[in-house]
Amino acid sequence: MKYLAHINQNSDEQPLKEHLENSAELCGRYAEQFGAYELGYCCGLLHDLGKYSEKFQKRLHGSEETVDHATAGAKLCWDKKGIYPLLSYCIAGHHAGLPDTGGSDDVGTRGTMIGRIKKKIEDYQAYKNEIEIPFLKKPPFQPVKTENIDFFSSMFIRMLYSCLVDADYLDTELFMRGESVRDSGESVELLYKKLMAHISNWMENRDLNTINGRRTEILEHCLKMGKEEKGLFRLTVPTGGGKTISSLAFALKHAKEHGMSRVIYVIPYTSIIEQNAKIFSDILGEGNVLEDHCNIDYESSEELKLMQLAAENWDKPVVVTTNVQFFESMFSNKSSKCRKLHNIANSVIIFDEAQMLPNDYLKPCISVIEQLLRYYRSSIVLCTATQPALKNLLSQDIKVTELCPRMEEQFAFFRRVSIENLNIIPEEELIQRLEKEQQALCILNTKKRAQRIYQHIKGDGVYHLSTAMYPAHRKKVLNCIRERLQKKEKCIVISTSLVEAGVDLDFQTVYRQLSGIDSIIQAAGRCNREGKRPVGECFTYIFKFDQKEYVPGQRQQIDVTESLLADSRNMEDLETIKLYFERLYHFRGESLDKKGILPLFQKGYFQFAEAAKKVRLIEENTKTIMIIREKEAQEIFENLKLKGFTKGLARKMSQYCVSVYETDFQKMFAAGMLGEISEDMKEDYFVLRDSAKYSDETGLALDTEYGEAILL
């Protein structure tokens, strides 16, 4: 009997042996990035052994009976000694997702690993005529004595799984299409040359009394440090120090020196991603820079289809993504999300605004970072002006190398603003102060407070910014703000924290409601940003109100900052920033693994599916409301009603949506202000029916109370 893997639309047949050998070679090549070629090869070779059953071959030729073809190879590996059982998880889950280990009581109908092993499957012994099982001696590396061996093993399984899934997809895709349609971009060496050509003129300014001279010093030092051995690095650079280009320069030099595959930028905000990705694309070429986040849409045109394919497995030399995408993928059990993971190995990974690593998952995230450093040949750069104090969370043998030369002196040079604490002030006093300003930014902790303060001082040159406004609306307002600032016209902005990072604005005065020190420093970075005003004329004022208000996820940050202010600490002092994070992490304690992710991998049991459900960096306690005020939004809305939910439409729709907390949603829904978009989106997505509840000035009104109603 001729055993086949696939039949394409032209009725061409791919022999099963050919598919298994192709997948094995690809999987092995990917796993070689972390020294595991033999295991990768074996995993690829055995993953589809279940297709050697007669019933599966009949299905290929038209039978409608479903056949489990993934359990066969998993069973075979499970019954062998040594390292083979780790391959079982990858093979069993290469379509359905990595399974939990399960328990001894699990029966064959359970989707756990133990359940799958007990499952009755079709005879697949015909594989013995074509496939010889490779002999595996030992794993490519051993865990250090101090670490959780089960977390170590779970990470290895997940990385090997990624190799298998990508290899299987790519060989199948090549056969079904008949040709390769992918483009991996240019080499790291060529990108390094492009960068050096771009910055060559900058190197001429070596005057350390100028901003550009200081930026050159930092940039040159980062290039020099690129020759250092792989490891964990920090780039602690003050606002205005040019950390974006300096970090790219280090990463490309380091990757070139050590034969590394790519540079991955991990960023907390999509606004910074879009900004940085444009800078990188302008220097390195659009075809070399992949953006992968929720707002990017590569499906809208044919010329972007190559980028859509690259987003599946991060097969580009520079990848720019979010904390959410990176860490949720690292803990996912789904083939679509895990497919990219093997391309994180042997890469330079830069965590921009590293203080934004998610506190609720900080311990699991640090565990992932350590694994990447120890076993997957990657280097990590923590890049920020406010370095998180991670020393006590890292294993003692992990050393950190600073990339910024004469760091404390750089911070003293780039200091452009005085920070003063106003302590408690009435809301009326804040309003009076703002009314006297010419160019000022006021950052408040809640959207409701921002809307209320704005209503008191609104007028010519006064603007409001918050996530109560949909992204496309915010962009228009930001353009107006930048134009007025450049013309030196009156410009007062009342905002939430969304302007603190990645929004390039420059005010003479900043007011910041009490928050975490990292937020205060970021806010101060919007004051005299370009250094064109005398330092003595530029102030960032910290203040708080009489009444405490609930700020989701910020209570401990505010309390720690208050304790440091009570000690008369200088907010900008590097020692104060270090102390802030040390106290914050101490108070958080076990809640640095709030969902208990690390205990899901212990005592020989792996809970892949459970971990994937629990790791949600942005909690799902909000509802999404679409605002239809623009022509494009109306067109998207009509398409959603006609076609239903698709990823492409969802991405386009996100530019016209506002997220609200459950309490606000319930009040608006009870008042009849919201309607369903389509049947398949009714649980999480709604459309605003009452247009009066959204204004050009402040966006979605958040003052609805129970008992209100509208008549349409």
Side-chain angles (χ1 to χ4, degrees):
M1 183 174 180
K2 183 166 65 172
Y3 290 95
L4 304 177
H6 306 104
I7 300 173
N8 68 16
Q9 59 186 9
N10 298 322
S11 299
D12 297 326
E13 299 175 342
Q14 183 184 34
L16 179 51
K17 183 173 185 286
E18 177 185 294
H19 172 60
L20 293 178
E21 289 177 343
N22 289 349
S23 298
E25 186 57 44
L26 268 179
C27 189
R29 202 168 78 213
Y30 296 151
E32 194 171 24
Q33 291 289 325
F34 46 94
Y37 176 86
E38 289 82 5
L39 277 84
Y41 187 92
C42 184
C43 203
L45 192 66
L46 306 183
H47 79 284
D48 272 355
L49 290 190
K51 291 185 177 181
Y52 277 102
S53 71
E54 289 186 20
K55 191 174 282 189
F56 183 86
Q57 293 302 312
K58 288 178 181 177
R59 178 169 175 77
L60 270 183
H61 289 90
S63 168
E64 294 185 1
E65 192 170 356
T66 58
V67 183
D68 173 0
H69 70 272
T71 299
K75 271 191 173 189
L76 187 149
C77 289
W78 191 266
D79 292 336
K80 292 179 74 66
K81 294 179 180 179
I83 197 170
Y84 289 92
L86 294 186
L87 276 58
S88 298
Y89 289 88
C90 306
I91 295 170
H94 76 268
H95 289 300
L98 285 170
D100 292 344
T101 302
S104 57
D105 293 337
D106 288 356
V107 294
T109 54
R110 291 289 304 275
T112 62
M113 193 67 244
I114 290 174
R116 294 283 289 274
I117 297 308
K118 293 178 179 179
K119 184 178 182 181
K120 185 178 179 181
I121 58 173
E122 298 298 317
D123 178 32
Y124 64 96
Q125 296 304 311
Y127 84 86
K128 293 177 180 177
N129 298 322
E130 295 187 346
I131 301 298
E132 184 176 343
I133 301 170
F135 173 67
L136 300 177
K137 298 176 184 176
K138 59 181 181 179
F141 39 73
Q142 295 290 336
V144 296
K145 292 180 181 178
T146 55
E147 72 179 314
N148 176 349
I149 189 171
D150 295 301
F151 186 78
F152 161 87
S153 299
S154 74
M155 182 90 166
F156 183 73
I157 290 170
R158 198 178 272 110
M159 293 296 274
L160 202 59
Y161 176 65
S162 170
C163 298
L164 172 61
V165 168
D166 199 25
D168 185 27
Y169 267 103
L170 288 176
D171 184 65
T172 302
E173 178 186 275
L174 180 60
F175 172 74
M176 300 304 271
R177 290 176 184 255
E179 60 178 349
S180 176
V181 291
R182 292 173 179 265
D183 176 11
S184 299
E186 295 172 315
S187 69
V188 163
E189 290 81 2
L190 187 54
L191 298 192
Y192 177 71
K193 288 179 182 177
K194 287 185 175 184
L195 174 68
M196 294 308 292
H198 180 81
I199 64 176
S200 58
N201 293 336
W202 300 3
M203 300 302 188
E204 296 172 8
N205 187 344
R206 298 179 181 276
D207 183 355
L208 296 182
N209 293 314
T210 66
I211 287 175
N212 286 335
R214 291 282 176 162
R215 288 171 177 166
T216 298
E217 181 187 23
I218 295 167
L219 176 57
E220 279 194 320
H221 192 70
C222 284
L223 285 167
K224 179 183 174 184
M225 294 295 287
K227 293 182 179 180
E228 292 289 308
E229 290 302 310
K230 292 181 180 182
L232 178 60
F233 300 87
R234 299 189 324 179
L235 179 55
T236 313
V237 175
T239 300
K243 68 180 172 68
T244 301
I245 298 300
S246 291
S247 59
L248 178 65
F250 167 80
L252 288 176
K253 179 66 176 289
H254 194 64
K256 182 178 82 75
E257 289 288 327
H258 297 289
M260 301 171 83
S261 304
R262 60 187 46 78
V263 175
I264 301 172
Y265 265 81
V266 186
I267 299 176
Y269 306 108
T270 53
S271 57
I272 314 179
I273 286 187
E274 291 161 359
Q275 182 176 291
N276 284 11
K278 186 179 187 311
I279 293 170
F280 300 155
S281 294
D282 289 346
I283 298 170
L284 307 175
E286 287 186 5
N288 294 311
V289 180
L290 171 71
E291 286 184 69
D292 189 17
H293 55 88
C294 61
N295 288 345
I296 196 74
D297 177 21
Y298 288 129
E299 298 175 11
S300 57
S301 63
E302 276 302 315
E303 61 264 28
L304 293 177
K305 285 292 170 64
L306 285 175
M307 282 297 188
Q308 174 65 29
L309 292 172
E312 294 172 353
N313 63 353
W314 283 6
D315 189 16
K316 286 290 180 182
V318 177
V319 178
V320 192
T321 190
T322 58
N323 284 339
V324 171
Q325 179 73 254
F326 186 88
F327 286 113
E328 288 190 4
S329 294
M330 290 303 310
F331 285 99
S332 178
N333 72 321
K334 297 298 182 187
S335 60
S336 57
K337 278 199 166 186
C338 289
R339 185 177 169 185
K340 64 178 80 78
L341 299 187
H342 71 90
N343 277 330
I344 295 173
N346 198 32
S347 296
V348 185
I349 307 161
I350 297 172
F351 291 98
D352 196 13
E353 303 299 347
Q355 78 282 358
M356 297 298 294
L357 289 172
N359 285 338
D360 288 348
Y361 301 94
L362 192 57
K363 285 184 177 179
C365 290
I366 294 298
S367 295
V368 164
I369 286 172
E370 287 201 7
Q371 292 284 308
L372 292 170
L373 285 169
R374 287 190 197 280
Y375 309 114
Y376 298 96
R377 302 178 178 176
S378 293
S379 285
I380 309 283
V381 183
L382 304 173
C383 191
T384 178
T386 52
Q387 281 290 349
L390 300 178
K391 183 179 178 182
N392 293 334
L393 298 176
L394 290 164
S395 298
Q396 289 185 349
D397 63 314
I398 301 285
K399 295 179 180 178
V400 187
T401 303
E402 177 59 57
L403 298 177
C404 181
R406 300 182 300 124
M407 183 175 67
E408 292 189 6
E409 187 181 320
Q410 307 298 355
F411 274 80
F413 177 84
F414 279 96
R415 192 161 290 149
R416 305 165 191 168
V417 58
S418 299
I419 298 180
E420 291 191 7
N421 182 17
L422 300 177
N423 214 324
I424 297 173
I425 63 171
E427 199 173 88
E428 296 75 21
E429 182 182 334
L430 176 65
I431 291 166
Q432 289 169 8
R433 280 174 164 268
L434 291 170
E435 287 174 335
K436 294 174 185 176
E437 297 285 354
Q438 176 66 14
Q439 290 195 339
L441 169 66
C442 177
I443 302 175
L444 297 151
N445 286 339
T446 66
K447 289 183 276 190
K448 287 182 180 178
R449 178 85 73 169
Q451 288 184 345
R452 189 164 75 240
I453 298 288
Y454 171 82
Q455 292 299 338
H456 281 288
I457 65 167
K458 66 180 183 179
D460 184 47
V462 181
Y463 297 91
H464 167 276
L465 279 173
S466 82
T467 52
M469 303 155 71
Y470 55 83
H473 184 186
R474 292 202 303 267
K475 286 178 184 176
K476 289 178 183 177
V477 175
L478 275 166
N479 288 336
C480 293
I481 291 168
R482 289 192 177 99
E483 191 175 329
R484 290 190 77 97
L485 290 173
Q486 287 172 359
K487 291 180 179 178
K488 296 183 169 51
E489 296 174 347
K490 178 182 177 181
C491 186
I492 312 297
V493 178
I494 312 301
S495 179
T496 55
S497 62
L498 67 89
V499 298
E500 284 179 350
V503 181
D504 191 8
L505 298 174
D506 185 357
F507 293 88
Q508 180 165 358
T509 310
V510 170
Y511 292 84
R512 183 45 167 114
Q513 188 177 357
L514 186 69
S515 59
I517 282 182
D518 51 337
S519 292
I520 291 169
I521 300 296
Q522 290 283 0
R526 309 312 111 187
C527 185
N528 198 21
R529 184 175 179 81
E530 301 301 324
K532 295 178 180 178
R533 304 178 181 95
V535 174
E537 297 177 9
C538 301
F539 294 90
T540 293
Y541 296 107
I542 311 166
F543 64 91
K544 58 183 178 180
F545 298 116
D546 289 331
Q547 323 90 333
K548 285 194 174 183
E549 58 191 344
Y550 174 66
V551 185
Q554 293 294 307
R555 186 68 262 161
Q556 287 171 317
Q557 286 90 324
I558 292 170
D559 289 345
V560 173
T561 303
E562 280 193 292
S563 73
L564 291 167
L565 285 171
D567 293 340
S568 301
R569 288 272 182 175
N570 180 352
M571 293 292 98
E572 296 174 278
D573 187 73
L574 292 174
E575 190 59 34
T576 301
I577 295 168
K578 180 180 174 224
L579 191 58
Y580 164 77
F581 282 109
E582 285 176 346
R583 287 188 184 180
L584 178 62
Y585 297 158
H586 175 73
F587 290 147
R588 291 294 303 255
E590 290 305 311
S591 71
L592 293 174
D593 184 7
K594 187 177 179 180
K595 298 287 188 69
I597 304 303
L598 294 178
L600 296 176
F601 304 97
Q602 60 183 355
K603 298 180 180 177
Y605 288 89
F606 308 125
Q607 298 188 56
F608 292 111
E610 187 65 21
K613 278 190 277 185
K614 284 188 171 185
V615 177
R616 290 289 181 270
L617 270 62
I618 299 175
E619 293 296 341
E620 303 290 336
N621 62 343
T622 60
K623 299 288 187 183
T624 302
I625 299 173
M626 187 175 186
I627 315 296
I628 304 175
R629 302 168 71 245
E630 300 185 34
K631 183 180 178 183
E632 185 179 8
Q634 183 64 47
E635 290 172 356
I636 294 167
F637 178 65
E638 295 299 331
N639 275 325
L640 285 166
K641 287 200 296 183
L642 287 171
K643 301 175 183 177
F645 184 89
T646 67
K647 285 185 178 179
L649 282 174
R651 288 193 181 105
K652 291 177 183 177
M653 172 182 132
S654 67
Q655 290 297 303
Y656 301 95
C657 287
V658 172
S659 292
V660 298
Y661 288 110
E662 186 70 30
T663 51
D664 290 317
F665 166 78
Q666 291 296 344
K667 291 174 184 177
M668 297 176 76
F669 189 79
M673 296 171 186
L674 307 174
E676 294 177 3
I677 294 178
S678 67
E679 186 64 27
D680 61 339
M681 299 174 69
K682 63 183 178 182
E683 290 187 5
D684 297 302
Y685 297 89
F686 296 83
V687 63
L688 184 68
R689 298 169 67 205
D690 183 5
S691 58
K693 281 290 180 179
Y694 193 99
S695 75
D696 275 335
E697 295 177 325
T698 57
L700 185 65
L702 299 172
D703 56 358
T704 304
E705 295 298 337
Y706 285 114
E708 291 186 42
I710 60 166
L711 297 174
L712 296 176

